[in-house]
Amino acid sequence: MAEKISKETVVKVSRLARLSLTTEETERMTAQLAGMLEHFRDIDALDLASVEPMTQPYPLKNVLRKDVELPSLDRDEVLDQAPAAESGRFRVPPTIGFDV
Amino acid sequence: MSEVAALPNGWQLIVGLEVHVELATKTKMFSASANRFGDEPNTNIDPVTLGLPGALPVLNQHAIELAIRIGLALNCKVQPCTFHRKNYFYPDLPKAYQITQYDHPLNIDGHLMLPGDVRIGIERAHLEEDTGKSTHFGGSSGRIHGSDYSLIDFNRAGVPLVEIVSRPDIRTSEQARQYVGELRSILLAVGASDAKMEEGSMRCDVNVSVHKLGTPFGTRCEIKNVNSIRSVGRAIDYEARRQVDVIEGGGTIRQETRHWDDATGRTETLRTKEDADDYRYFLEPDLVPLVPDQSWIDAVRAALPVLPAARRQALAELCGVDKDGESAFVVVERGQDDYVSAVVAAGGDPRRAVVYVQQAFAEQSATPKVPAKDLAALTILERDAKVTSTQAKTLLTDLIEAGGGDVSAMATKRGFEALDKSAVEAMVDAAIAAEPGAWQKYCNGEEKALGALVGAVMKSSKGKADGKVITALLQAKRT
Amino acid sequence: MQKLVDIVAGVTNGSLKASAVVEEHLARIVARESEIHAFNLVTADQARTDAAKVDEDVKAGKKVGALAGVPIALKDNMCTRGVETTCSSKILQGWKPPYDATVVTKLRAAGAVIMGKTNLDEFAMGSSTENSAFGPTKNPHDVSRVPGGSSGGSAAAVSAGFAAASLGSDTGGSIRQPAALCGVVGVKPTYGVVSRYGLVAFASSLDQIGPFTSDVRDAATLLEVISGHDPMDSTSIPQPAPSLVSVLDHGVAGMRIGRVTDLPEGCEPDVLARLEAAFDALRSAGAIIVDIKLPSIQYCLTAYYLIAPAEASSNLARYDGVRYGNRVDAADLNSMYAATREAGFGEEVKRRIMLGTYALSAGYYDAYYGKALKVRRLISDDFAHAYEKTDVILTPTSPSVAFKFGSKTDNPLAMYLCDVFTIPTNLAGHPAMSVPFGTGADSMPVGVQVLATTLGEQAMFKVAAELERSL
Ligand SMILES: [Mg+2]
Ligand SMILES: [Zn+2]
């Protein structure tokens, strides 16, 4: 399993997760995550080579829906709940410095 | 089509295409919200479309069926498949993940044929959902960079998409254009999409790299925002030249995503590989596997129409034209090949039938208003030299305007009485006698002297003699 | 305290007014809610209106539903149209969903009267309800102790008589553990038996809604109403609701009851003593106790704390300040995202988002998330082997009785250990329920957990009913 989690990795992960952790939070998080990951090493001993991953508890397949339209939500009711809206649309700050 | 200079110094172009097509369903990929272009912003939304807390996706059966049609039309293997989440933050992506197919896509390992029997491999054609639409306001240009704010419309979010990924088998920008055109014809033929590039229901990302024969492919750049078939060709030509210039100037190509600017005719860096997101793909726990059973696949296959390539082939054989030629392509594109067959079945001349339809039926639907038997009659009049080809064109216009009718009566009404061959021959003899100088030159091999002789016959016949017939008679008399 | 089934019977035959039932419950809320804090929101006016409607229908001779007049509280992570749904998080505070969860629709159709939205650990992440952004819920048996979590508010609401029943959600024990700590019945059905549509997702492959009630019969009655196939949830099992009330009096004679011989350590002796008493009671009623082994159960915590945060990190990415919920304004989009999420989420939620993002990220997926999915298979296989030999399995619900506030908040791992007996069934997707079975240290309630295999709800309820009768 991977080496002990570093502060740099925690910073990278916090960026991926769009969380602006404070310096103090980053340090605490690094220690806590390291502790947990250390505990999670218990499964390293298991031989899992021939084990199929289990992703769903109940084996279903082909759950399909007919292509039938239902009414839209009311735009005003929805936009009323938005932090910012304008001209029938959701408003967001500019994408400056954003890696699109 | 404009020929572009080949790349210099033995450089070779390698192109692969990723084409996204919106499927022609009534509702979205995972919910009953309408899939409709052009509606007022945010009027086709529901909890699933908006990624509201607690909303769950359910697969649209018709979207799957259309995707299977695409797969079969592209000679793919249709297989059991799963859905993954591709996680990234962007304001037009409501859940902050796109549901897409990852390691087990629906369709794999197909191909598409281009003119000249060029085979372009299809790696996969997988299902996914579209994003909403951002519009950028303020700033200098209304573009992403430098705007003041953006407004988001989620009508398009969740619209079913099939992403068709070609293998890097394309070697020229012309082939890339043909590929997109052929793909579009197939999508239209199977009814999977309206494939309107101008409305964004068909969108191309182009992967371009260059190399020299016998060496590995170079680093590729992905070009986004290529919104017409013409732009596909222009973007590839520009990008290939740019890459060669960079390499020959001692530089290296970075793997990056570039943006095509149709106005400037250039590509620009959008983002580099280093700052690419880590998408954290994992199996979508809110969906279960899709295992299309053989009977479903067979039923979809049985209902598939004959595809454009096969139709062009059949039309070409019927009419004696080139299967990769303009008339076969245009007539099949308009879906008028069945009509041409009907004209031939009604006794029409095959080659004239296909040419008439190609040239005069652009405004007509797949089932033109002119009855097949009437068009057949016109081809026979012309073939039998009862009317000249010029007269035939006039009659064709009359026929289309009237929506059909008795072609012989129309010819009579126009005074297009047929001159029989003996009458024309008499006029030819008279013209030879009247223009001895021209006749002498023609006999000496001066082909341009033919004009004066033909003109003389035309004049004396008042245009009722067929130019081709006159020429044939003059040629026969020369030897 | 009134049983759910007695309220339905009385209201339906006209001997009891739904309005009077609601007023009684509201009176208890007025008396003790400020002390307990079971609710994020009490919808008293709507409850009165709904109860009056039920009474009108009864008076008019109309047919009323299977839950006519029953006051029910909802965990505040189930969407209620037009009524604030917060997940006890600042990021969603004030959000009024434009739609109802399927369970809410079913409850209303059955004539239930919704009393309000109950407190929880933020986004259902926790085992004590101390992680609520709006302050903890207190255990009605001893307000210096936690009610358990994450459905602490729903457990406390039933325990304190604020509602005849409530709904919670259970991802790793979030119904059963607070049920045990508050002395009520709590059921986690088979994954896919109750629709998740409208339940705010924590970990999609583990989440399941279930009831809290004061006895087993009430739980069976309520579960019958909320379960059944829902075409809006692709993971919903296409089967009708199980018949449960009908089996409660069947007894357990000849049934095989599994005793796990390799149970994880760390369980308090008073809790283990009650488990032994439960085995004795079932043996006396004619059941056969069989020893079984679940060797992989020791890896449950690891598998769970990789899988659940991974799914959660993706499920909680949608709280980005764009479409709903709260935003912290900033000059550019990325800063807005980060500021909104930093301010909107509490510490435990951030910790799990970080853990889950890490477990899924490039270079770590195989070592963590991928491996955890394989361990999940091992655990499921262990259960499959065990259920060849037994019909149900009995374990403690929680390793200890309700603990004091703050005693585990400094050490996330210590808190995670509260779920060591409940997590395995979520990983396997099996049903399990906690039944109050006497008291332990400091006279606090102790729960015994009955586990069954996929769709084994009938066997589970038979045993639960027998345990209850034996008290
Ligand atoms: Mg792509
Ligand atoms: Zn795509």
Side-chain angles (χ1 to χ4, degrees), chain A residues 16 18 55-56 60-62 65 67-70 72-73 75 86 88-92 94-95 98-100, chain B residues 26-28 31-32 41-43 45 58-61 90 144 147-150 152 271 285 287 289 291:
Chain A
L16 264 182
R18 301 294 190 271
T55 50
Q56 253 154 352
L60 291 171
K61 60 175 187 178
N62 295 343
R65 165 182 73 75
D67 187 22
V68 178
E69 182 183 337
L70 289 174
S72 174
L73 287 172
R75 180 168 77 180
E86 192 179 303
R89 287 175 283 185
F90 298 84
R91 182 178 166 139
V92 294
T95 46
F98 192 62
D99 48 344
V100 271
Chain B
K26 290 195 184 71
T27 66
K28 293 186 176 170
S31 76
N42 293 307
T43 55
I45 52 174
V58 185
L59 281 174
N60 181 340
Q61 181 169 359
Y90 201 70
I144 296 173
S147 65
D148 292 335
Y149 64 97
S150 306
I152 326 281
R271 56 173 177 258
L287 289 171
V291 186

Side-chain angles (χ1 to χ4, degrees), chain B residues 274-347:
Chain B
E274 300 93 77
D275 51 43
D277 252 317
D278 173 350
Y279 292 122
R280 290 155 286 136
Y281 283 99
F282 72 105
L283 206 68
E284 165 59 287
D286 289 329
L287 289 171
V288 302
L290 172 66
V291 186
D293 54 46
Q294 197 55 47
S295 63
W296 189 15
I297 298 170
D298 291 344
V300 174
R301 192 191 302 276
L304 277 188
V306 182
L307 296 177
R311 283 163 55 188
R312 286 196 298 270
Q313 175 88 39
L315 184 68
E317 277 169 21
L318 178 72
C319 301
V321 297
D322 178 6
K323 77 173 168 59
D324 296 331
E326 185 87 7
S327 59
F329 197 89
V330 167
V331 170
V332 167
E333 175 99 334
R334 290 192 214 130
Q336 294 165 337
D337 45 329
D338 283 347
Y339 176 72
V340 171
S341 300
V343 173
V344 174

Side-chain angles (χ1 to χ4, degrees), chain C residues 160-175:
Chain C
F162 297 165
S166 63
L167 294 187
S169 65
D170 189 313
T171 305
S174 282
I175 292 175

